[in-house]
C-alpha cells in the first residue's frame, strides 16, 4: 500500500509524502465487535484541492474485506461515489444512514448495515461543496461548474492516493440536490478526462433535476397522495401559487435558477396540510415522507429519526480521530453557510446536460414514492420532457417491468435506451435509509445484474459474505399451480396512468402558457432567504408560516375562479368549486400586493427546541 505516495505540500513548499497508510480507519466505537471477515476496510481523511483557500474535501472510502477486485462474481472492480444534496448536506448521511456498511446504534457503536452497498462495489463518500460536513474552506462555491471543477480536482488527487481505483468502473450516485451535482460532475469528468477514467453510469434518487418542471408537480402529486385536501379552504391559495409559478416560468425575462414563486407552492401546500387539531409534533406533513408528521413549520426537518444519534457519534473525539480529521470540526448534517453561498444563478439546470450524457453512459433516475419535495411524479414529468435519444422526448418505446426483491414486488422499472426510471414502493426521500437491502438492487439494475421473469426483473439477495441468490416472487400458498397459470400477466397500470396524467398536465401547461403570453408580466419580488440548516434538499424558508394562509383562508371561497381552478374542476380535482361558466377560463384572480412581502422567520428559532 505504501508504494503509492501523495505529496502534500505546505506553503513553505515542504512536501511530505502522504500514503494510503495515513488514511486507514483503524478503530471506531463498536468496530471490534464486528467479525473481521465482514468488517469493512476503510480509509478516511482530507484531501487538499485548493491550497490558497485552505480547501480540503473529506472522504470516507469503504470496501468489503474480500471485495478488492479478486473475489466478486456478479460485480467486479466497480467504484461508487455517493453524494448527498442540500446544497450543503453532508454525505455522512449516506455513509451512516443509507448506502454505507455501518449504522450507529443507540449505544453510539457501529454495527453492520445488512443492506450495505459494499456488497456490490467499493463506495466513496465525499463531503462537498467545500465547507459541507467535515470539509474545510475559507472560500465557498457559488456555481455548479465551480463545484464540478473542485470535485474533479478532488478525484485527481484521490486517484493519486488510490491508483488501483483508476481501473475501476466509476458510478456517481446520490440523491436530492445531487441531482444537480451528478450530471455536472459527469460532464466535467468526461470532458476533462486526463486520467482515462471509465465513467459508466449515474444513479440519481429523488433528484432535484429541473426546479421549474418539478415545482409544477406539487399540486397534482399532493392531491393524488391525499395529504392535500381539495376541499381545504387553502386550496384556492395553493392553486393561485401554482399559477404564479407557471407565470414565472413562462416569463422570458425571469432567468432565476429556482423561482421564488415556485418555491412558494411547496410552502403553501405544507401550510395547507397543517392540522391544528393534532398534537404539536404531528401538525405538519413530513416533506420527505408523507406517511409521517412533524411540528409545523419544521415539516420534516426533524427527520430522519436516526440523525440525532449519528450527529452525536460523528462528534465523538474518538471518532473524529479515527477518521483522520486534520483538526476537530463540529459535524452537522447540513451547513447553512454552504447553502447561503451556493446560488447557481449562472448555471443551467442539470436537466439540460442529461441528453449528451445519455449518449455516453447509463443513467438511472429512481424515486421513493412517499417523498414530497422531489416526488416521483416530478421525476416522471422530468422524463416526459427529456430527450432520451436524439429526437425522442420521454418514454416512447420503453420496456416496463415489475421489480422483485426477495420474493416481494418492491417497485417498477421502465427503460429506454440508456435511461432507466425506477419507482421504489413504500419509500421516503432517502430510499436507502428506509429500505437498505432493496436499495442495493438499484445498483444491480443499472449494472444489469438481474434475472428476467416474464414481465418482472429480479435483483439478487446477498448474505453478509456477499453470496447471492435470485429469489422469485412468492406465490400465495393457498393458490394452486393451475390457478397461478391462468392468471393473466401482470400489468403495471400505475406507470401508464401517471404518464397519461403527466400528458394531461403538459397540455394544461401549454394552455396556461398561451394564456399567460397575453398577460402582462408581474413585478419582480425581492428575494430574501433565510435558510434552515437542516434540509436534505434545501428549501428557502423565507416565508415559513406567515405566507398569509390564515388571513386568506376565509376569502378563498369568494375569489374569482382562476383558470387552473377551472381546469382542476374539470379533472375532478376541484370538488369545492362551482361549475365553470363560459368565459371563466380566461379570468384570473388579481395578484395581491401583500403576498410578496415575506415575514422572515427561522424554524430553528421558533420551533427548534420543542
Ligand atoms: C485483497 O485481497 C487479497 C487476496 O484475497 C488479500 O490478500 C488482501 O489483503 C486484500 N486487501 C484488502 C485491502 O482487503
Ligand atoms: C480541464 O481541467 C483543467 C485544469 O483544471 C482546465 O484548465 C481545463 O479548462 C479543463 N478542460 C475542460 C475541457 O474542462
Ligand atoms: C489516456 O489515454 C490516452 C490515449 O489512449 C493516452 O495517450 C494517455 O497516456 C492516457 N493517460 C493516462 C493518464 O493513462
Ligand atoms: C448508451 O451508452 C453507451 C455507453 O455505455 C454508448 O456506447 C451508446 O451509444 C449509448 N446509446 C445511445 C443511444 O446513445
Ligand atoms: C408497498 O407498496 C405497495 C405498492 O404501492 C403496496 O401494495 C403495499 O401494500 C405496500 N406495503 C407496505 C408494507 O406498505
Amino acid at each position: 500500500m505504501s508504494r503509492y505516495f501523495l505529496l502534500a505540500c505546505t506553503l513553505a513548499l515542504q512536501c511530505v509524502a502522504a500514503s494510503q497508510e495515513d488514511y486507514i480507519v483503524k478503530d471506531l466505537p463498536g468496530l471490534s465487535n464486528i467479525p473481521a471477515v465482514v468488517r469493512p476496510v476503510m480509509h478516511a481523511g482530507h484531501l487538499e484541492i485548493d491550497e490558497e483557500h485552505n480547501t480540503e474535501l473529506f472522504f470516507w472510502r469503504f470496501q468489503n474485506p474480500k471485495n478488492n477486485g479478486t473475489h466478486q462474481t456478479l460485480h467486479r472492480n466497480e467504484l461508487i461515489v455517493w453524494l448527498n444534496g442540500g446544497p450543503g448536506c453532508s454525505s455522512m448521511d449516506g455513509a451512516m444512514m443509507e448506502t454505507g456498511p455501518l449504522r450507529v446504534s443507540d449505544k453510539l457503536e457501529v454495527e453492520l448495515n445488512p443492506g450495505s452497498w459494499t456488497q456490490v462495489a467499493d463506495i466513496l463518500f465525499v463531503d462537498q461543496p467545500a465547507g459541507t460536513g467535515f470539509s474545510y474552506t475559507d472560500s465557498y462555491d457559488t456555481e455548479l461548474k465551480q463545484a464540478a471543477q473542485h470535485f474533479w480536482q478532488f478525484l485527481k488527487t484521490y486517484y493519486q492516493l488510490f491508483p488501483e481505483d483508476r481501473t475501476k468502473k466509476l458510478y456517481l450516485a446520490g440523491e436530492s440536490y445531487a441531482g444537480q451535482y451528478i450530471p455536472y460532475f459527469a460532464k466535467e469528468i468526461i470532458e476533462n478526462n486526463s486520467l482515462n477514467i471509465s465513467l459508466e453510469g449515474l444513479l440519481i434518487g429523488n433528484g432535484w433535476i429541473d426546479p421549474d418542471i418539478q415545482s409544477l408537480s406539487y399540486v397534482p402529486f399532493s392531491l393524488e397522495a391525499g395529504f392535500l385536501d381539495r376541499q381545504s379552504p387553502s386550496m384556492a391559495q395553493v392553486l393561485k401559487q401554482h399559477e404564479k409559478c407557471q407565470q414565472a416560468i413562462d416569463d422570458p425575462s425571469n432567468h432565476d435558477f429556482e423561482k421564488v414563486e415556485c418555491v412558494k407552492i411547496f410552502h403553501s401546500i405544507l401550510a395547507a396540510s397543517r392540522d391544528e387539531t393534532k398534537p404539536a409534533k404531528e401538525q405538519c406533513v413530513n416533506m420527505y415522507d408523507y406517511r409521517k408528521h412533524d411540528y409545523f413549520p419544521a415539516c420534516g426537518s426533524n427527520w430522519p429519526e436516526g440523525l440525532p444519534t449519528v450527529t452525536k457519534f460523528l462528534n465523538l473525539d474518538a471518532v473524529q480521530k479515527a477518521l483522520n480529521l486534520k483538526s476537530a470540526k463540529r459535524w452537522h448534517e447540513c451547513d447553512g453557510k454552504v447553502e447561503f453561498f451556493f446560488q447557481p444563478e449562472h448555471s443551467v439546470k442539470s436537466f439540460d446536460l442529461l441528453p449528451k450524457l445519455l449518449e455516453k453512459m447509463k443513467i438511472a433516475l429512481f424515486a421513493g414514492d412517499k417523498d414530497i419535495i422531489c416526488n416521483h411524479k416530478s421525476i416522471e414529468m422530468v422524463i416526459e420532457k427529456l430527450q432520451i435519444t436524439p429526437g425522442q422526448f420521454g418514454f416512447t418505446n420503453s420496456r416496463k417491468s415489475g421489480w422483485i426483491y426477495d420474493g416481494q414486488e418492491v417497485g417498477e422499472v421502465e427503460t429506454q435506451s440508456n435511461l432507466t426510471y425506477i419507482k421504489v414502493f413504500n419509500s421516503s426521500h432517502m430510499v436507502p435509509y428506509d429500505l437498505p437491502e432493496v436499495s442495493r438492487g438499484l445498483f444491480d439494475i443499472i449494472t444489469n445484474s438481474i434475472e428476467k421473469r416474464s414481465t418482472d426483473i429480479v435483483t439478487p439477495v446477498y448474505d453478509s459474505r456477499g453470496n447471492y441468490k435470485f429469489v422469485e416472487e412468492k406465490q400465495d400458498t393457498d393458490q394452486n399451480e393451475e390457478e397461478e397459470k391462468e392468471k393473466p400477466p401482470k400489468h403495471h397500470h400505475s406507470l401508464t396512468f401517471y404518464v397519461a396524467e403527466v400528458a394531461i398536465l403538459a397540455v394544461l401547461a401549454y394552455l396556461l402558457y398561451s394564456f399567460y403570453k397575453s398577460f402582462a408580466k408581474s413585478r419582480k419580488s425581492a428575494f430574501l432567504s433565510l435558510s434552515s440548516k437542516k434540509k436534505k434538499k434545501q428549501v428557502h424558508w423565507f416565508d415559513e408560516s406567515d405566507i398569509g394562509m390564515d388571513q386568506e383562508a376565509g376569502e378563498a371561497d369568494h375569489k374569482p375562479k382562476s383558470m387552473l381552478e377551472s381546469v382542476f374542476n374539470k379533472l375532478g380535482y376541484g370538488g369545492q368549486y362551482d361549475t365553470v361558466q363560459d368565459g371563466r377560463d380566461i379570468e384570473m384572480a388579481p395578484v395581491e400586493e401583500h403576498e410578496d412581502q415575506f415575514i422572515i422567520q427561522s424554524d430553528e428559532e421558533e420551533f427548534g427546541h420543542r
Side-chain angles (χ1 to χ4, degrees):
M1 274 190 203
S2 48
R3 276 184 294 131
Y4 307 115
F5 295 110
L6 177 75
L7 288 183
C9 302
T10 64
L11 254 169
L13 289 177
Q14 298 165 302
C15 298
V16 285
S19 72
Q20 285 183 16
E21 214 90 45
D22 302 327
Y23 288 87
I24 294 173
V25 179
K26 295 191 187 73
D27 201 14
L28 284 172
L31 192 64
S32 57
N33 301 335
I34 298 173
V37 66
V38 291
R39 194 183 301 153
V41 175
M42 299 181 279
H43 294 82
H46 288 104
L47 291 179
E48 184 176 86
I49 57 162
D50 178 1
E51 190 191 333
E52 194 190 331
H53 298 106
N54 298 312
T55 303
E56 309 225 12
L57 296 190
F58 176 79
F59 74 91
W60 193 346
R61 171 185 189 259
F62 297 90
Q63 292 178 289
N64 243 4
K66 58 182 180 182
N67 276 5
N68 62 6
T70 52
H71 212 94
Q72 297 170 72
T73 46
L74 260 184
H75 295 278
R76 264 175 218 287
N77 253 357
E78 288 150 344
L79 174 70
I80 301 169
V81 176
W82 177 272
L83 302 164
N84 282 90
C89 296
S90 168
S91 298
M92 296 308 105
D93 269 9
M96 304 314 284
M97 293 190 283
E98 300 189 88
T99 52
L102 301 177
R103 294 278 159 113
V104 183
S105 75
D106 293 341
K107 292 194 292 183
L108 301 187
E109 291 185 340
V110 293
E111 49 192 32
L112 279 186
N113 162 21
S116 173
W117 285 29
T118 52
Q119 297 291 7
V120 292
D122 298 337
I123 184 159
L124 173 68
F125 298 87
V126 185
D127 272 344
Q128 68 77 48
T132 300
F134 284 134
S135 293
Y136 310 123
T137 193
D138 301 339
S139 162
Y140 292 85
D141 288 350
T142 58
E143 294 287 336
L144 285 156
K145 173 79 181 163
Q146 199 182 8
Q149 284 167 342
H150 280 152
F151 179 76
W152 175 234
Q153 184 57 44
F154 165 85
L155 268 191
K156 284 193 287 188
T157 313
Y158 171 84
Y159 283 124
Q160 273 180 278
L161 186 61
F162 295 96
E164 67 270 39
D165 282 1
R166 265 179 47 191
T167 56
K168 292 177 184 164
K169 292 175 183 163
L170 179 65
Y171 288 83
L172 303 183
E175 76 195 12
S176 200
Y177 201 86
Q180 291 295 326
Y181 300 141
I182 290 172
Y184 267 88
F185 296 3
K187 179 174 189 279
E188 189 72 20
I189 294 171
I190 57 178
E191 283 183 0
N192 205 346
N193 197 354
S194 51
L195 298 178
N196 301 336
I197 304 302
S198 169
L199 178 57
E200 297 281 313
L202 313 178
L203 269 156
I204 299 173
N206 294 84
W208 191 238
I209 295 164
D210 188 314
D212 292 348
I213 298 174
Q214 291 183 260
S215 296
L216 295 174
S217 75
Y218 289 141
V219 172
F221 175 76
S222 305
L223 287 169
E224 192 178 290
F227 58 84
L228 176 64
D229 184 358
R230 62 200 58 157
Q231 312 287 341
S232 153
S234 317
M235 191 61 200
Q237 171 67 20
V238 170
L239 290 176
K240 192 153 80 188
Q241 202 55 55
H242 184 103
E243 285 178 343
K244 283 173 155 187
C245 166
Q246 181 72 64
Q247 191 175 13
I249 292 168
D250 295 339
D251 177 355
S253 69
N254 188 337
H255 303 294
D256 292 348
F257 190 81
E258 289 188 25
K259 294 168 179 72
V260 62
E261 294 85 352
C262 296
V263 176
K264 284 170 80 178
I265 302 177
F266 190 64
H267 294 184
S268 68
I269 288 174
L270 294 180
S273 81
R274 184 177 191 179
D275 183 349
E276 289 181 78
T277 65
K278 294 261 178 67
K281 64 175 185 187
E282 290 167 28
Q283 285 192 0
C284 193
V285 68
N286 177 332
M287 69 179 98
Y288 306 112
D289 186 340
Y290 69 77
R291 297 167 296 184
K292 296 179 179 174
H293 292 82
D294 197 354
Y295 293 101
F296 187 88
C299 303
S301 304
N302 295 309
W303 178 90
E305 298 82 359
L307 181 59
T309 309
V310 167
T311 304
K312 273 188 223 153
F313 176 84
L314 290 173
N315 284 308
L316 294 175
D317 287 345
V319 170
Q320 296 204 350
K321 203 156 168 275
L323 295 178
N324 306 308
L325 259 61
K326 286 194 179 161
S327 60
K329 184 179 179 192
R330 168 126 202 106
W331 185 88
H332 45 251
E333 185 193 27
C334 299
D335 189 279
K337 228 168 158 184
V338 173
E339 196 239 340
F340 177 81
F341 283 101
F342 205 89
Q343 303 283 350
E345 290 305 329
H346 304 288
S347 303
V348 300
K349 41 206 183 178
S350 65
F351 175 82
D352 298 355
L353 309 183
L354 295 179
K356 275 233 160 66
L357 294 172
L358 280 165
E359 290 174 13
K360 301 225 164 63
M361 65 192 75
K362 291 193 165 138
I363 300 181
L365 303 179
F366 65 95
D369 65 351
K370 305 300 185 219
D371 183 23
I372 306 173
I373 194 161
C374 304
N375 64 75
H376 72 88
K377 183 185 277 288
S378 78
I379 307 300
E380 288 151 20
M381 287 165 69
V382 162
I383 292 172
E384 191 73 9
K385 294 245 163 71
L386 179 63
Q387 182 172 312
I388 300 177
T389 49
Q392 296 282 318
F393 291 83
F395 285 131
T396 48
N397 183 24
S398 64
R399 198 175 60 247
K400 292 183 200 174
S401 336
W403 170 17
I404 308 299
Y405 173 79
D406 199 12
Q408 307 291 329
E409 183 162 11
V410 295
E412 293 168 342
V413 181
E414 187 163 5
T415 303
Q416 181 173 323
S417 187
N418 282 337
L419 182 75
T420 299
Y421 167 62
I422 307 159
K423 179 177 167 188
V424 186
F425 297 156
N426 311 313
S427 179
S428 71
H429 186 69
M430 300 168 90
V431 175
Y433 173 73
D434 284 3
L435 303 169
E437 285 145 301
V438 168
S439 80
R440 182 172 47 206
L442 295 164
F443 192 70
D444 291 313
I445 293 172
I446 199 175
T447 54
N448 208 29
S449 310
I450 57 169
E451 286 193 355
K452 295 197 171 89
R453 300 276 189 278
S454 68
T455 59
D456 292 328
I457 61 151
V458 184
T459 58
V461 175
Y462 296 83
D463 69 16
S464 64
R465 306 290 294 273
N467 304 309
Y468 65 92
K469 58 179 193 266
F470 289 92
V471 182
E472 293 185 41
E473 193 160 19
K474 290 186 179 109
Q475 310 293 349
D476 286 344
T477 39
D478 55 4
Q479 226 168 2
N480 69 38
E481 292 276 310
E482 281 315 301
E483 272 170 359
E484 202 48 49
K485 272 187 201 130
E486 316 233 316
K487 261 171 62 179
K490 277 216 313 256
H491 295 295
H492 298 284
H493 294 293
S494 43
L495 263 176
T496 325
F497 173 72
Y498 294 130
V499 166
E501 251 201 349
V502 164
I504 292 169
L505 278 164
V507 171
L508 292 184
Y510 177 72
L511 287 173
L512 270 172
Y513 173 68
S514 321
F515 166 61
Y516 279 122
K517 269 204 305 197
S518 58
F519 190 81
K521 85 178 243 338
S522 68
R523 265 163 307 117
K524 185 132 177 139
S525 49
F527 182 68
L528 293 165
S529 92
L530 184 74
S531 57
S532 159
K533 294 172 185 62
K534 294 200 264 175
K535 301 293 178 295
K536 265 49 83 182
K537 208 249 359 119
Q538 300 283 13
V539 288
H540 300 272
W541 290 98
F542 45 82
D543 53 356
E544 210 80 77
S545 56
D546 292 275
I547 191 167
M549 287 299 138
D550 294 336
Q551 305 96 281
E552 291 202 349
E555 311 163 32
D557 288 321
H558 313 295
K559 286 202 176 139
K561 307 293 176 292
S562 68
M563 180 179 174
L564 197 81
E565 286 167 35
S566 309
V567 161
F568 269 80
N569 230 343
K570 286 174 187 157
L571 282 177
Y573 277 136
Q576 70 159 322
Y577 304 113
D578 301 330
T579 321
V580 181
Q581 290 155 23
D582 284 347
R584 263 283 159 78
D585 280 3
I586 45 165
E587 215 175 293
M588 203 183 82
V591 176
E592 275 144 75
E593 195 67 36
H594 70 272
E595 285 169 353
D596 285 334
Q597 295 165 353
F598 318 131
I599 295 177
I600 298 178
Q601 184 179 53
S602 142
D603 58 308
E604 275 157 343
E605 277 160 40
E606 278 290 299
F607 300 92
H609 303 294
R610 291 207 185 174

